[in-house]
Amino acid sequence: LVGVSWNSHSVWDIQDNYNIGLDDVSCSSTYWSSCIYITSHNCSHSEDIFLNCGQVSVFRLMDSGGATITQGGVNSGLLLADGNTVCDDSFSDNAAAAICRHTG
Protein backbone atom coordinates (compact mmCIF):
# COMPACT_ATOMS: atom_id res chain seq x y z
CA LEU A 1 0.00 0.00 0.00
CA VAL A 2 1.33 3.42 -0.94
CA GLY A 3 2.05 5.81 1.92
CA VAL A 4 2.27 3.17 4.66
CA SER A 5 5.24 3.57 6.96
CA TRP A 6 6.29 2.44 10.43
CA ASN A 7 9.08 2.72 12.94
CA SER A 8 9.94 1.77 16.51
CA HIS A 9 12.43 2.80 19.19
CA SER A 10 10.50 5.97 20.09
CA VAL A 11 9.41 6.41 23.68
CA TRP A 12 6.50 8.52 24.90
CA ASP A 13 5.47 8.90 28.55
CA ILE A 14 2.01 7.41 27.86
CA GLN A 15 3.36 4.05 26.68
CA ASP A 16 3.76 2.81 30.26
CA ASN A 17 -0.03 3.15 30.64
CA TYR A 18 -0.53 0.20 28.27
CA ASN A 19 0.37 -3.47 28.23
CA ILE A 20 2.24 -4.92 25.27
CA GLY A 21 -0.43 -7.06 23.60
CA LEU A 22 1.11 -8.40 20.39
CA ASP A 23 4.60 -9.67 19.60
CA ASP A 24 6.25 -11.49 16.72
CA VAL A 25 3.71 -10.12 14.21
CA SER A 26 4.69 -11.71 10.91
CA CYS A 27 2.70 -11.37 7.67
CA SER A 28 3.35 -13.25 4.44
CA SER A 29 1.37 -10.67 2.43
CA THR A 30 -0.32 -7.30 2.91
CA TYR A 31 -3.55 -8.96 4.18
CA TRP A 32 -4.24 -9.38 7.91
CA SER A 33 -5.43 -12.96 7.30
CA SER A 34 -1.82 -13.82 6.32
CA CYS A 35 -0.47 -12.63 9.69
CA ILE A 36 0.52 -14.63 12.73
CA TYR A 37 1.42 -13.23 16.15
CA ILE A 38 1.63 -14.12 19.83
CA THR A 39 0.02 -12.32 22.77
CA SER A 40 2.89 -12.95 25.20
CA HIS A 41 6.04 -10.88 24.73
CA ASN A 42 9.71 -10.36 25.54
CA CYS A 43 9.67 -6.63 24.72
CA SER A 44 9.98 -3.25 26.32
CA HIS A 45 8.03 -0.16 25.27
CA SER A 46 11.07 1.11 23.36
CA GLU A 47 10.10 -1.58 20.82
CA ASP A 48 6.50 -0.36 20.37
CA ILE A 49 5.34 0.18 16.78
CA PHE A 50 4.51 3.66 15.49
CA LEU A 51 2.44 3.33 12.30
CA ASN A 52 1.25 5.73 9.61
CA CYS A 53 -1.82 4.65 7.60
CA GLY A 54 -5.47 5.41 6.87
CA GLN A 55 -8.57 4.87 9.03
CA VAL A 56 -8.18 2.72 12.13
CA SER A 57 -10.78 0.48 13.83
CA VAL A 58 -9.59 -2.47 15.99
CA PHE A 59 -6.20 -0.86 15.78
CA ARG A 60 -5.84 2.69 17.08
CA LEU A 61 -3.11 5.29 16.65
CA MET A 62 -2.35 7.76 19.44
CA ASP A 63 -0.29 10.92 19.81
CA SER A 64 2.13 11.53 22.69
CA GLY A 65 -0.72 12.93 24.82
CA GLY A 66 -2.93 9.86 24.41
CA ALA A 67 -5.41 11.32 21.91
CA THR A 68 -6.47 9.39 18.82
CA ILE A 69 -4.83 10.97 15.80
CA THR A 70 -6.77 11.96 12.71
CA GLN A 71 -5.26 14.66 10.51
CA GLY A 72 -6.63 15.14 7.03
CA GLY A 73 -7.93 11.57 6.99
CA VAL A 74 -4.50 10.12 7.82
CA ASN A 75 -3.71 8.49 11.14
CA SER A 76 -0.13 8.33 12.39
CA GLY A 77 1.22 7.49 15.84
CA LEU A 78 1.64 4.79 18.49
CA LEU A 79 -0.11 1.59 17.37
CA LEU A 80 -2.57 0.01 19.81
CA ALA A 81 -4.35 -3.29 19.23
CA ASP A 82 -7.39 -3.69 21.47
CA GLY A 83 -5.87 -1.20 23.91
CA ASN A 84 -2.38 -2.75 24.04
CA THR A 85 0.82 -1.72 22.29
CA VAL A 86 2.40 -3.81 19.51
CA CYS A 87 6.06 -4.90 19.74
CA ASP A 88 8.41 -4.59 16.75
CA ASP A 89 9.76 -8.18 16.90
CA SER A 90 9.25 -9.67 13.39
CA PHE A 91 7.23 -6.58 12.32
CA SER A 92 7.71 -5.72 8.65
CA ASP A 93 6.37 -3.58 5.82
CA ASN A 94 3.92 -6.43 5.09
CA ALA A 95 2.61 -6.23 8.67
CA ALA A 96 2.21 -2.46 8.43
CA ALA A 97 0.38 -2.70 5.11
CA ALA A 98 -1.81 -5.59 6.40
CA ILE A 99 -2.91 -3.57 9.44
CA CYS A 100 -3.58 -0.48 7.34
CA ARG A 101 -5.53 -2.54 4.79
CA HIS A 102 -7.47 -4.33 7.58
CA THR A 103 -8.51 -1.06 9.18
CA GLY A 104 -9.62 0.31 5.86
Side-chain angles (χ1 to χ4, degrees):
L1 296 174
V2 176
V4 172
S5 63
W6 67 277
N7 68 67
S8 61
H9 304 293
S10 295
V11 178
W12 292 347
D13 292 338
I14 63 165
Q15 287 170 254
D16 288 333
N17 296 333
Y18 299 93
N19 293 317
I20 298 170
L22 296 180
D23 191 9
D24 295 327
V25 177
S26 179
C27 303
S28 60
S29 75
T30 61
Y31 291 89
W32 184 244
S33 59
S34 78
C35 301
I36 58 172
Y37 55 87
I38 59 174
T39 56
S40 59
H41 70 87
N42 60 350
C43 303
S44 68
H45 284 297
S46 66
E47 298 173 83
D48 287 345
I49 293 295
F50 290 77
L51 184 63
N52 181 359
C53 65
Q55 298 299 319
V56 177
S57 57
V58 171
F59 296 97
R60 183 174 148 211
L61 298 171
M62 295 177 41
D63 67 16
S64 61
T68 300
I69 302 170
T70 305
Q71 295 177 343
V74 176
N75 287 314
S76 177
L78 174 66
L79 176 62
L80 297 180
D82 290 330
N84 299 299
T85 63
V86 178
C87 181
D88 69 354
D89 293 352
S90 302
F91 206 85
S92 66
D93 291 345
N94 273 350
I99 290 170
C100 290
R101 182 186 301 277
H102 178 72
T103 60

